[in-house]
């Protein structure tokens, strides 16, 4: 709440869809997927959390991330 009142957005690292739902419930403006299978996690987050989801890590190709 303090960060939002100060005008900041809150982005949370998540390792599962469950983590993402909890982060959003607690006020996250976006979630950052971080796992060994980051593309799989990012796919799992599509349409689940209702906020932007981005990924960290290395992608094989742009097609893999699409």
């Amino acid at each position: 709440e303090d960060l939002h009142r100060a005008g900041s957005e809150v982005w949370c690292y998540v390792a599962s869809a469950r983590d993402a739902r909890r982060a959003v419930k607690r006020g996250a403006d976006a979630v950052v997927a971080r796992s060994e299978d980051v593309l799989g996690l990012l796919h799992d987050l599509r349409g689940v959390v209702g906020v932007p989801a981005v990924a960290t890590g290395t992608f094989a190709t742009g097609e893999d991330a699409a």
Side-chain angles (χ1 to χ4, degrees):
E1 292 180 20
D2 290 340
L3 291 171
H4 283 130
R5 278 195 294 271
S8 297
E9 287 189 355
V10 177
W11 291 36
C12 295
Y13 282 107
V14 299
S16 68
R18 180 180 178 215
D19 289 349
R21 285 190 292 273
R22 287 182 12 191
V24 170
K25 185 176 181 181
R26 293 178 178 162
D29 297 299
V31 293
V32 182
R34 184 174 71 179
S35 76
E36 288 184 24
D37 181 20
V38 72
L39 291 176
L41 176 55
L42 191 60
H43 184 268
D44 290 346
L45 296 177
R46 289 184 182 167
V48 173
V49 293
V51 298
V54 297
T56 62
T58 304
F59 300 106
T61 68
E63 290 175 353
D64 291 337

